[in-house]
Amino acid sequence: MKIDLIAGARPNFMKIAPLIKAIRQRQSENKAISFRLIHTGQHYDVNMSGNFFEQLGIPAPDVNLSAGGGSQAEQTAKIMTGYERLLKESTADLCLVVGDVTSSMACSIVAKKEKVKVAHVEAGIRSGDMTMPEEINRIVTDSITDYFFTTTVQAGENLKKNGVAEKNIFFVGNTMIDTLLQQRPFFKQPSFWSTLALNPSEYFVLTLHRPSNVDHPEQLTRLLTAILEHTHGLPVIFPVHPRTAKMLEALKPGSGNLHLTEPMGYLEFNYLVEKSKAVITDSGGVTEECTVMGVPCMTLRNSTERPETVTEGTNELLGTDPSAIQPALQKLFSGQWKRGTIPEKWDGKTSSRIVDILISTVL
Ligand code: UDP
């Protein structure tokens, strides 16, 4: 029983790593399950890919489709032709995709057309914002998925509204949190901690990479200005996503409190998040990690596909208008930020649940 595990971009690696561990555990118990790890090459440099393999103990990919670079359509086409060639040479019983990146969508389409069943981990989440490429990827992937593994009850409800049969929806929890809980004892102080003389709860972490925030120089400048004006002079550490880096080069923001870094390793980044005063972000995964670690989180987006991080967790949606930043930071500094709880089944055991379902129901 051969499963193709698809990974292509940064937020995939932390979702795939615990699945591989869980499969290996079942293999050691003589269960007939095997996998082929396929890296599409969507993210390919050390900071966005290689480091995660090393830190999270992911084995070297069995196949690399080397489909990095180019526009969304060019990337989709390269991934699809590469994966189709592979399946024609050597097919699989199941194609398992995680999350909402181009690779997830592209490989699920190819698999379905090659009569290979598709499993989607993190199925059913919806922001309702069709300007996000990820939302399109989610909808297309779920429209051809056979087995839906969900992080929340709400995600399952979204799928049912779209006509998905209940028997194909499995509420299992969050594989990203499996990784977080497995790796938490090994978080690593980043090398700049002492150079910048950082102290716990006396700095902010900032990440921005959504087109709505970073593709227009005026918007990015207004956001950065508002953040720096209202963070009381505390250091703001900003690991810069490659998409954002291009824009920042042109802007050259200068402030003693703003510290730009390369995209960080997982262990260093989450060390920083865990000890921060708060995180300001437009990432999806980071809001989940903040929720589990109880770190105040402000999301610079108008919608979220992860509403549980707001209704249950520590996250608040501020929108993309910089005027929302000041009142939110005031609330934080006055000690009024909510504490939050951890969503159901975000307990570190999600990957084992998925693999057990694959063995008993799917394969
Ligand atoms: N992350 C990281 N280093 C960084 C920034 C983020 O390891 O410099 C991790 C973060 O802990 C989370 C994941 O990357 O696990 C989130 O990825 P990203 O924000 O790119 O994607 P999204 O979740 O928005 O799809």
Side-chain angles (χ1 to χ4, degrees):
M1 296 296 176
K2 196 167 68 181
I3 304 175
D4 277 353
L5 299 178
I6 310 295
R10 180 170 69 185
N12 288 165
F13 304 130
M14 38 301 269
K15 296 170 194 169
I16 236 56
L19 282 166
I20 292 176
K21 287 201 179 100
I23 291 175
R24 288 194 158 155
Q25 174 63 33
R26 291 297 178 255
Q27 284 175 330
S28 73
E29 296 158 8
N30 292 323
K31 300 284 185 204
I33 182 167
S34 68
F35 69 90
R36 175 165 75 170
L37 177 60
I38 298 167
H39 192 328
T40 65
Q42 189 184 334
H43 281 164
Y44 46 87
D45 67 16
V46 171
N47 285 340
M48 296 298 284
S49 170
N51 271 346
F52 296 97
F53 278 74
E54 204 184 303
Q55 291 198 333
L56 305 180
I58 305 172
D62 297 290
V63 179
N64 196 322
L65 302 179
S66 303
S71 69
Q72 293 257 341
E74 284 165 341
Q75 224 171 54
T76 306
K78 279 195 271 182
I79 296 168
M80 287 181 75
T81 45
Y83 188 44
E84 184 185 56
R85 200 173 309 123
L86 180 70
L87 282 183
K88 284 193 185 300
E89 277 164 18
S90 152
T91 194
D93 299 305
L94 183 78
C95 169
L96 185 148
V97 300
V98 297
D100 53 20
V101 301
T102 303
S103 304
S104 324
M105 177 190 69
C107 289
S108 60
I109 295 173
V110 172
K112 192 73 178 175
K113 290 192 173 181
E114 289 297 312
K115 314 276 186 299
V116 174
K117 298 268 190 210
V118 176
H120 184 199
V121 170
E122 208 183 87
I125 62 173
R126 295 287 184 272
S127 68
D129 177 359
M130 290 298 284
T131 66
M132 287 177 78
E134 293 87 348
E135 183 75 353
I136 299 168
N137 296 339
R138 290 176 197 124
I139 290 172
V140 173
T141 304
D142 284 341
S143 72
I144 49 175
T145 288
D146 297 284
Y147 306 105
F148 300 81
F149 293 102
T150 59
T151 48
T152 59
V153 172
Q154 174 70 53
E157 294 301 321
N158 296 341
L159 291 167
K160 280 189 244 166
K161 265 188 235 148
N162 285 330
V164 174
E166 197 157 354
K167 70 174 179 30
N168 295 326
I169 301 172
F170 304 93
F171 170 37
V172 287
N174 194 328
T175 57
M176 201 168 207
I177 301 308
D178 289 1
T179 290
L180 188 78
L181 298 180
Q182 279 167 19
Q183 299 298 335
R184 203 171 182 180
F186 309 107
F187 288 172
K188 254 200 323 228
Q189 192 175 81
S191 55
F192 56 73
W193 181 273
S194 45
T195 335
L196 297 181
L198 297 179
N199 291 310
S201 300
E202 291 180 13
Y203 63 90
F204 287 82
V205 177
L206 172 65
T207 82
L208 294 172
H209 69 277
R210 299 278 166 224
S212 53
N213 286 328
V214 306
D215 281 3
H216 303 286
E218 318 77 52
Q219 169 67 359
L220 185 55
T221 307
R222 284 177 345 121
L223 288 174
L224 290 177
T225 306
I227 291 167
L228 294 169
E229 254 176 40
H230 301 292
T231 37
H232 294 198
L234 293 179
V236 177
I237 315 297
F238 185 5
V240 181
H241 191 280
R243 180 183 191 104
T244 316
K246 287 183 206 136
M247 190 54 70
L248 282 174
E249 263 168 41
L251 285 178
K252 296 200 179 13
S255 158
N257 305 327
L258 181 65
H259 302 281
L260 307 184
T261 75
E262 294 283 311
M264 295 174 67
Y266 181 84
L267 300 177
E268 292 85 353
F269 178 74
N270 282 292
Y271 181 99
L272 212 58
V273 168
E274 188 182 33
K275 297 199 164 22
S276 68
K277 181 155 191 73
V279 172
I280 306 172
T281 190
D282 60 11
S283 162
V286 172
T287 65
E288 299 180 336
E289 291 162 346
C290 285
T291 280
V292 170
M293 294 195 280
V295 174
C297 182
M298 302 173 190
T299 295
L300 300 180
R301 286 177 49 192
N302 294 315
S303 60
T304 176
E305 61 290 336
R306 295 162 163 93
E308 64 285 356
T309 63
V310 177
T311 54
E312 298 176 56
T314 55
N315 186 24
E316 240 186 62
L317 274 190
L318 302 193
T320 53
D321 184 338
S323 66
I325 290 172
Q326 186 270 336
L329 285 168
Q330 194 177 3
K331 193 198 255 183
L332 177 78
F333 280 110
S334 64
Q336 304 298 307
W337 204 264
K338 60 184 170 179
R339 301 187 70 81
T341 54
I342 297 177
E344 190 186 349
K345 296 196 187 176
W346 291 21
D347 57 1
K349 297 177 187 153
T350 297
S351 302
S352 304
R353 287 187 196 108
I354 293 173
V355 172
D356 287 346
I357 291 166
L358 292 177
I359 290 169
S360 64
T361 316
V362 176
L363 295 180

mmCIF file with all atom_site columns, all heavy atoms in Angstrom, residues 298-313:
data_model
loop_
_atom_site.group_PDB
_atom_site.id
_atom_site.type_symbol
_atom_site.label_atom_id
_atom_site.label_alt_id
_atom_site.label_comp_id
_atom_site.label_asym_id
_atom_site.label_entity_id
_atom_site.label_seq_id
_atom_site.pdbx_PDB_ins_code
_atom_site.Cartn_x
_atom_site.Cartn_y
_atom_site.Cartn_z
_atom_site.occupancy
_atom_site.B_iso_or_equiv
_atom_site.pdbx_formal_charge
_atom_site.auth_seq_id
_atom_site.auth_comp_id
_atom_site.auth_asym_id
_atom_site.auth_atom_id
_atom_site.pdbx_PDB_model_num
ATOM 1   N N   . MET A 1 298 ? -1.848  39.003 16.856 1.00 0.00 ? 298 MET A N   1
ATOM 2   C CA  . MET A 1 298 ? -2.652  39.983 16.117 1.00 0.00 ? 298 MET A CA  1
ATOM 3   C C   . MET A 1 298 ? -2.496  39.678 14.641 1.00 0.00 ? 298 MET A C   1
ATOM 4   O O   . MET A 1 298 ? -1.376  39.670 14.128 1.00 0.00 ? 298 MET A O   1
ATOM 5   C CB  . MET A 1 298 ? -2.128  41.397 16.390 1.00 0.00 ? 298 MET A CB  1
ATOM 6   C CG  . MET A 1 298 ? -2.154  41.712 17.856 1.00 0.00 ? 298 MET A CG  1
ATOM 7   S SD  . MET A 1 298 ? -1.352  43.268 18.211 1.00 0.00 ? 298 MET A SD  1
ATOM 8   C CE  . MET A 1 298 ? -1.300  43.135 20.010 1.00 0.00 ? 298 MET A CE  1
ATOM 9   N N   . THR A 1 299 ? -3.624  39.437 13.970 1.00 0.00 ? 299 THR A N   1
ATOM 10  C CA  . THR A 1 299 ? -3.544  39.057 12.571 1.00 0.00 ? 299 THR A CA  1
ATOM 11  C C   . THR A 1 299 ? -3.957  40.211 11.671 1.00 0.00 ? 299 THR A C   1
ATOM 12  O O   . THR A 1 299 ? -5.074  40.727 11.771 1.00 0.00 ? 299 THR A O   1
ATOM 13  C CB  . THR A 1 299 ? -4.424  37.814 12.304 1.00 0.00 ? 299 THR A CB  1
ATOM 14  O OG1 . THR A 1 299 ? -3.866  36.723 13.038 1.00 0.00 ? 299 THR A OG1 1
ATOM 15  C CG2 . THR A 1 299 ? -4.438  37.443 10.838 1.00 0.00 ? 299 THR A CG2 1
ATOM 16  N N   . LEU A 1 300 ? -3.060  40.583 10.784 1.00 0.00 ? 300 LEU A N   1
ATOM 17  C CA  . LEU A 1 300 ? -3.323  41.698 9.866  1.00 0.00 ? 300 LEU A CA  1
ATOM 18  C C   . LEU A 1 300 ? -3.981  41.166 8.595  1.00 0.00 ? 300 LEU A C   1
ATOM 19  O O   . LEU A 1 300 ? -3.380  41.132 7.513  1.00 0.00 ? 300 LEU A O   1
ATOM 20  C CB  . LEU A 1 300 ? -2.015  42.427 9.545  1.00 0.00 ? 300 LEU A CB  1
ATOM 21  C CG  . LEU A 1 300 ? -1.291  43.014 10.765 1.00 0.00 ? 300 LEU A CG  1
ATOM 22  C CD1 . LEU A 1 300 ? -0.010  43.724 10.346 1.00 0.00 ? 300 LEU A CD1 1
ATOM 23  C CD2 . LEU A 1 300 ? -2.207  43.975 11.519 1.00 0.00 ? 300 LEU A CD2 1
ATOM 24  N N   . ARG A 1 301 ? -5.194  40.683 8.783  1.00 0.00 ? 301 ARG A N   1
ATOM 25  C CA  . ARG A 1 301 ? -6.012  40.210 7.653  1.00 0.00 ? 301 ARG A CA  1
ATOM 26  C C   . ARG A 1 301 ? -7.470  40.511 7.968  1.00 0.00 ? 301 ARG A C   1
ATOM 27  O O   . ARG A 1 301 ? -7.829  40.664 9.135  1.00 0.00 ? 301 ARG A O   1
ATOM 28  C CB  . ARG A 1 301 ? -5.832  38.693 7.466  1.00 0.00 ? 301 ARG A CB  1
ATOM 29  C CG  . ARG A 1 301 ? -4.509  38.292 6.867  1.00 0.00 ? 301 ARG A CG  1
ATOM 30  C CD  . ARG A 1 301 ? -4.374  36.773 6.787  1.00 0.00 ? 301 ARG A CD  1
ATOM 31  N NE  . ARG A 1 301 ? -5.538  36.170 6.182  1.00 0.00 ? 301 ARG A NE  1
ATOM 32  C CZ  . ARG A 1 301 ? -5.781  34.850 6.201  1.00 0.00 ? 301 ARG A CZ  1
ATOM 33  N NH1 . ARG A 1 301 ? -4.924  34.033 6.793  1.00 0.00 ? 301 ARG A NH1 1
ATOM 34  N NH2 . ARG A 1 301 ? -6.856  34.355 5.638  1.00 0.00 ? 301 ARG A NH2 1
ATOM 35  N N   . ASN A 1 302 ? -8.294  40.531 6.920  1.00 0.00 ? 302 ASN A N   1
ATOM 36  C CA  . ASN A 1 302 ? -9.722  40.808 7.126  1.00 0.00 ? 302 ASN A CA  1
ATOM 37  C C   . ASN A 1 302 ? -10.517 39.543 7.404  1.00 0.00 ? 302 ASN A C   1
ATOM 38  O O   . ASN A 1 302 ? -11.671 39.610 7.815  1.00 0.00 ? 302 ASN A O   1
ATOM 39  C CB  . ASN A 1 302 ? -10.304 41.517 5.896  1.00 0.00 ? 302 ASN A CB  1
ATOM 40  C CG  . ASN A 1 302 ? -9.682  42.889 5.729  1.00 0.00 ? 302 ASN A CG  1
ATOM 41  O OD1 . ASN A 1 302 ? -9.544  43.640 6.693  1.00 0.00 ? 302 ASN A OD1 1
ATOM 42  N ND2 . ASN A 1 302 ? -9.256  43.207 4.511  1.00 0.00 ? 302 ASN A ND2 1
ATOM 43  N N   . SER A 1 303 ? -9.928  38.392 7.123  1.00 0.00 ? 303 SER A N   1
ATOM 44  C CA  . SER A 1 303 ? -10.656 37.144 7.333  1.00 0.00 ? 303 SER A CA  1
ATOM 45  C C   . SER A 1 303 ? -9.654  36.082 7.761  1.00 0.00 ? 303 SER A C   1
ATOM 46  O O   . SER A 1 303 ? -8.440  36.265 7.601  1.00 0.00 ? 303 SER A O   1
ATOM 47  C CB  . SER A 1 303 ? -11.307 36.703 6.023  1.00 0.00 ? 303 SER A CB  1
ATOM 48  O OG  . SER A 1 303 ? -10.290 36.500 5.051  1.00 0.00 ? 303 SER A OG  1
ATOM 49  N N   . THR A 1 304 ? -10.180 34.994 8.279  1.00 0.00 ? 304 THR A N   1
ATOM 50  C CA  . THR A 1 304 ? -9.297  33.867 8.577  1.00 0.00 ? 304 THR A CA  1
ATOM 51  C C   . THR A 1 304 ? -10.018 32.574 8.269  1.00 0.00 ? 304 THR A C   1
ATOM 52  O O   . THR A 1 304 ? -11.221 32.453 8.502  1.00 0.00 ? 304 THR A O   1
ATOM 53  C CB  . THR A 1 304 ? -8.811  33.856 10.037 1.00 0.00 ? 304 THR A CB  1
ATOM 54  O OG1 . THR A 1 304 ? -8.028  32.659 10.222 1.00 0.00 ? 304 THR A OG1 1
ATOM 55  C CG2 . THR A 1 304 ? -9.958  33.862 11.045 1.00 0.00 ? 304 THR A CG2 1
ATOM 56  N N   . GLU A 1 305 ? -9.259  31.623 7.760  1.00 0.00 ? 305 GLU A N   1
ATOM 57  C CA  . GLU A 1 305 ? -9.781  30.276 7.539  1.00 0.00 ? 305 GLU A CA  1
ATOM 58  C C   . GLU A 1 305 ? -9.645  29.450 8.815  1.00 0.00 ? 305 GLU A C   1
ATOM 59  O O   . GLU A 1 305 ? -10.007 28.290 8.850  1.00 0.00 ? 305 GLU A O   1
ATOM 60  C CB  . GLU A 1 305 ? -9.039  29.605 6.364  1.00 0.00 ? 305 GLU A CB  1
ATOM 61  C CG  . GLU A 1 305 ? -7.538  29.431 6.537  1.00 0.00 ? 305 GLU A CG  1
ATOM 62  C CD  . GLU A 1 305 ? -6.776  30.763 6.481  1.00 0.00 ? 305 GLU A CD  1
ATOM 63  O OE1 . GLU A 1 305 ? -7.302  31.716 5.869  1.00 0.00 ? 305 GLU A OE1 1
ATOM 64  O OE2 . GLU A 1 305 ? -5.688  30.841 7.071  1.00 0.00 ? 305 GLU A OE2 1
ATOM 65  N N   . ARG A 1 306 ? -9.087  30.069 9.869  1.00 0.00 ? 306 ARG A N   1
ATOM 66  C CA  . ARG A 1 306 ? -8.862  29.372 11.135 1.00 0.00 ? 306 ARG A CA  1
ATOM 67  C C   . ARG A 1 306 ? -9.583  30.124 12.263 1.00 0.00 ? 306 ARG A C   1
ATOM 68  O O   . ARG A 1 306 ? -8.938  30.649 13.178 1.00 0.00 ? 306 ARG A O   1
ATOM 69  C CB  . ARG A 1 306 ? -7.361  29.287 11.415 1.00 0.00 ? 306 ARG A CB  1
ATOM 70  C CG  . ARG A 1 306 ? -6.622  28.421 10.392 1.00 0.00 ? 306 ARG A CG  1
ATOM 71  C CD  . ARG A 1 306 ? -5.131  28.703 10.426 1.00 0.00 ? 306 ARG A CD  1
ATOM 72  N NE  . ARG A 1 306 ? -4.358  27.661 9.779  1.00 0.00 ? 306 ARG A NE  1
ATOM 73  C CZ  . ARG A 1 306 ? -3.990  27.686 8.501  1.00 0.00 ? 306 ARG A CZ  1
ATOM 74  N NH1 . ARG A 1 306 ? -4.321  28.678 7.711  1.00 0.00 ? 306 ARG A NH1 1
ATOM 75  N NH2 . ARG A 1 306 ? -3.265  26.686 8.008  1.00 0.00 ? 306 ARG A NH2 1
ATOM 76  N N   . PRO A 1 307 ? -10.940 30.207 12.191 1.00 0.00 ? 307 PRO A N   1
ATOM 77  C CA  . PRO A 1 307 ? -11.680 31.038 13.154 1.00 0.00 ? 307 PRO A CA  1
ATOM 78  C C   . PRO A 1 307 ? -11.491 30.578 14.602 1.00 0.00 ? 307 PRO A C   1
ATOM 79  O O   . PRO A 1 307 ? -11.618 31.396 15.521 1.00 0.00 ? 307 PRO A O   1
ATOM 80  C CB  . PRO A 1 307 ? -13.141 30.880 12.707 1.00 0.00 ? 307 PRO A CB  1
ATOM 81  C CG  . PRO A 1 307 ? -13.174 29.656 11.847 1.00 0.00 ? 307 PRO A CG  1
ATOM 82  C CD  . PRO A 1 307 ? -11.826 29.530 11.226 1.00 0.00 ? 307 PRO A CD  1
ATOM 83  N N   . GLU A 1 308 ? -11.162 29.317 14.790 1.00 0.00 ? 308 GLU A N   1
ATOM 84  C CA  . GLU A 1 308 ? -10.986 28.809 16.161 1.00 0.00 ? 308 GLU A CA  1
ATOM 85  C C   . GLU A 1 308 ? -9.815  29.497 16.879 1.00 0.00 ? 308 GLU A C   1
ATOM 86  O O   . GLU A 1 308 ? -9.810  29.579 18.102 1.00 0.00 ? 308 GLU A O   1
ATOM 87  C CB  . GLU A 1 308 ? -10.790 27.275 16.156 1.00 0.00 ? 308 GLU A CB  1
ATOM 88  C CG  . GLU A 1 308 ? -9.526  26.764 15.466 1.00 0.00 ? 308 GLU A CG  1
ATOM 89  C CD  . GLU A 1 308 ? -9.571  26.803 13.932 1.00 0.00 ? 308 GLU A CD  1
ATOM 90  O OE1 . GLU A 1 308 ? -10.632 27.164 13.368 1.00 0.00 ? 308 GLU A OE1 1
ATOM 91  O OE2 . GLU A 1 308 ? -8.533  26.492 13.310 1.00 0.00 ? 308 GLU A OE2 1
ATOM 92  N N   . THR A 1 309 ? -8.852  30.013 16.108 1.00 0.00 ? 309 THR A N   1
ATOM 93  C CA  . THR A 1 309 ? -7.743  30.723 16.763 1.00 0.00 ? 309 THR A CA  1
ATOM 94  C C   . THR A 1 309 ? -8.227  32.041 17.367 1.00 0.00 ? 309 THR A C   1
ATOM 95  O O   . THR A 1 309 ? -7.595  32.587 18.269 1.00 0.00 ? 309 THR A O   1
ATOM 96  C CB  . THR A 1 309 ? -6.573  31.012 15.789 1.00 0.00 ? 309 THR A CB  1
ATOM 97  O OG1 . THR A 1 309 ? -7.042  31.892 14.742 1.00 0.00 ? 309 THR A OG1 1
ATOM 98  C CG2 . THR A 1 309 ? -6.010  29.740 15.185 1.00 0.00 ? 309 THR A CG2 1
ATOM 99  N N   . VAL A 1 310 ? -9.370  32.534 16.851 1.00 0.00 ? 310 VAL A N   1
ATOM 100 C CA  . VAL A 1 310 ? -9.964  33.767 17.387 1.00 0.00 ? 310 VAL A CA  1
ATOM 101 C C   . VAL A 1 310 ? -10.999 33.438 18.462 1.00 0.00 ? 310 VAL A C   1
ATOM 102 O O   . VAL A 1 310 ? -10.972 34.006 19.552 1.00 0.00 ? 310 VAL A O   1
ATOM 103 C CB  . VAL A 1 310 ? -10.624 34.589 16.237 1.00 0.00 ? 310 VAL A CB  1
ATOM 104 C CG1 . VAL A 1 310 ? -11.301 35.831 16.794 1.00 0.00 ? 310 VAL A CG1 1
ATOM 105 C CG2 . VAL A 1 310 ? -9.592  34.951 15.184 1.00 0.00 ? 310 VAL A CG2 1
ATOM 106 N N   . THR A 1 311 ? -11.908 32.494 18.154 1.00 0.00 ? 311 THR A N   1
ATOM 107 C CA  . THR A 1 311 ? -13.001 32.222 19.101 1.00 0.00 ? 311 THR A CA  1
ATOM 108 C C   . THR A 1 311 ? -12.507 31.460 20.329 1.00 0.00 ? 311 THR A C   1
ATOM 109 O O   . THR A 1 311 ? -13.040 31.610 21.414 1.00 0.00 ? 311 THR A O   1
ATOM 110 C CB  . THR A 1 311 ? -14.122 31.414 18.421 1.00 0.00 ? 311 THR A CB  1
ATOM 111 O OG1 . THR A 1 311 ? -13.525 30.249 17.842 1.00 0.00 ? 311 THR A OG1 1
ATOM 112 C CG2 . THR A 1 311 ? -14.806 32.219 17.337 1.00 0.00 ? 311 THR A CG2 1
ATOM 113 N N   . GLU A 1 312 ? -11.476 30.636 20.143 1.00 0.00 ? 312 GLU A N   1
ATOM 114 C CA  . GLU A 1 312 ? -10.966 29.860 21.279 1.00 0.00 ? 312 GLU A CA  1
ATOM 115 C C   . GLU A 1 312 ? -9.560  30.276 21.692 1.00 0.00 ? 312 GLU A C   1
ATOM 116 O O   . GLU A 1 312 ? -9.194  30.177 22.852 1.00 0.00 ? 312 GLU A O   1
ATOM 117 C CB  . GLU A 1 312 ? -10.933 28.359 20.936 1.00 0.00 ? 312 GLU A CB  1
ATOM 118 C CG  . GLU A 1 312 ? -12.287 27.786 20.630 1.00 0.00 ? 312 GLU A CG  1
ATOM 119 C CD  . GLU A 1 312 ? -12.185 26.325 20.198 1.00 0.00 ? 312 GLU A CD  1
ATOM 120 O OE1 . GLU A 1 312 ? -11.621 25.517 20.958 1.00 0.00 ? 312 GLU A OE1 1
ATOM 121 O OE2 . GLU A 1 312 ? -12.653 26.012 19.086 1.00 0.00 ? 312 GLU A OE2 1
ATOM 122 N N   . GLY A 1 313 ? -8.766  30.691 20.724 1.00 0.00 ? 313 GLY A N   1
ATOM 123 C CA  . GLY A 1 313 ? -7.349  30.928 20.989 1.00 0.00 ? 313 GLY A CA  1
ATOM 124 C C   . GLY A 1 313 ? -7.015  32.373 21.324 1.00 0.00 ? 313 GLY A C   1
ATOM 125 O O   . GLY A 1 313 ? -7.881  33.159 21.713 1.00 0.00 ? 313 GLY A O   1
#
